[in-house]
Amino acid sequence: MTGAGSGIGRAVAVELLRAGWSVALAGRRTETLEETAALVPDAARLVVRTDVSRPDEVAGLFAAVRDRFGRLDLLFNNAGTFGPGGVPVEELPYDAWRHVVDTNLNGAFLCAQAAYRQMKEQAPRGGRIINNGSISAHAPRPHSVAYTATKHALTGLTKSLSLDGRAYGIAVGQIDIGNAATDMTSRMETGALQANGEIAPEPVMSVADVARTVRHMAELPLEANVQFATVLATAMPYVGRG
């Protein structure tokens, strides 16, 4: 579970821990990972400080999982960043673009590759990877070029991994989430920039609803797969014209 220190990652980690899963909590800040772990104190969990954009740290994460739990049944590829919000494309610094790409896309690839290798070699073979996409994998928000580009790329990563994993019992799917109530989306309830240039509040949904959906995907037998799931606040301006 990457990005397990807050938001969607924390909610999904708690959902799985309470359901009896053994969960490795990965993220860049140890203190927030420990806070997540403390929410289910008697569960089997492992805290591993990890920057998913660094290949050596990703390798260390999956080695720690293998050493502690013996096998890997699920990767929730959740770590991500929106980057600097509200910055027009012509003003976006390259370093900011690169940071979003390194986290959202390169990090997802590195974790999926490490999971794939372990799932392919373990006995019994196989496992499941769930990538955290976004509504932005379908339609962008204004001034979100880096985030939107990486989420579209993540869809291609999901499809390719899903195809290549068939021979090894590795099921790969993606959940695209719209307006779950987290710190990252708190501004939406007070006002978010719309495609027509207006600022308008947007409905949000409980992050617990996302967590339950991920758990459903995770607990399917490997013979079944949710290839793509879209979970969103019912009245958010996405379907139709707003």
Side-chain angles (χ1 to χ4, degrees):
M1 172 85 55
T2 65
S6 62
I8 290 168
R10 173 172 287 179
V12 173
V14 168
E15 178 75 18
L16 293 179
L17 286 167
R18 287 176 175 166
W21 285 72
S22 300
V23 180
L25 308 170
R28 290 185 297 172
R29 293 185 294 164
T30 303
E31 62 273 18
T32 59
L33 297 174
E34 294 288 0
E35 290 170 3
T36 299
L39 295 173
V40 193
D42 297 326
R45 75 268 195 219
L46 173 67
V47 170
V48 185
R49 200 211 71 81
T50 309
D51 182 340
V52 297
S53 70
R54 297 182 59 88
D56 56 333
E57 295 191 18
V58 171
L61 166 64
F62 284 85
V65 169
R66 184 178 58 249
D67 293 344
R68 173 67 180 273
F69 299 123
R71 64 176 286 112
L72 176 65
D73 294 301
L74 173 69
L75 164 64
F76 182 40
N77 235 342
N78 169 71
T81 180
F82 192 82
V87 179
V89 61
E90 69 273 18
E91 298 176 11
L92 184 70
Y94 176 73
D95 287 348
W97 164 272
R98 182 63 184 268
H99 174 65
V100 176
V101 172
D102 281 345
T103 303
N104 295 5
L105 180 57
N106 294 342
F109 164 74
L110 289 170
C111 289
Q113 183 184 56
Y116 191 99
R117 288 169 174 164
Q118 189 165 334
M119 291 172 176
K120 181 180 176 181
E121 299 300 327
Q122 65 192 4
R125 190 164 65 178
R128 187 179 304 276
I129 298 170
I130 301 173
N131 292 324
N132 185 354
S134 171
I135 293 297
S136 291
H138 305 271
R141 288 185 176 277
H143 307 321
S144 66
V145 63
Y147 183 79
T148 297
T150 56
K151 293 303 184 179
H152 275 72
L154 198 64
T155 298
L157 180 69
T158 298
K159 291 179 178 180
S160 187
L161 290 171
S162 183
L163 178 60
D164 292 344
R166 287 179 181 175
Y168 308 107
I170 300 172
V172 185
Q174 180 172 315
I175 182 168
D176 295 329
I177 302 165
N179 288 16
T182 67
D183 290 342
M184 186 176 179
T185 62
S186 59
R187 62 183 175 82
M188 294 177 184
E189 293 183 89
T190 57
L193 180 62
Q194 305 298 304
N196 63 1
E198 295 180 356
I199 302 294
E202 294 186 12
V204 298
M205 63 178 170
S206 171
V207 72
D209 295 321
V210 176
R212 284 191 289 269
T213 305
V214 174
R215 179 183 168 190
H216 167 70
M217 296 170 70
E219 293 184 341
L220 288 171
L222 291 178
E223 293 76 20
N225 186 41
V226 175
Q227 187 67 72
F228 292 98
T230 303
V231 184
L232 71 165
T234 302
M236 70 173 291
Y238 168 63
V239 177
R241 296 178 181 266

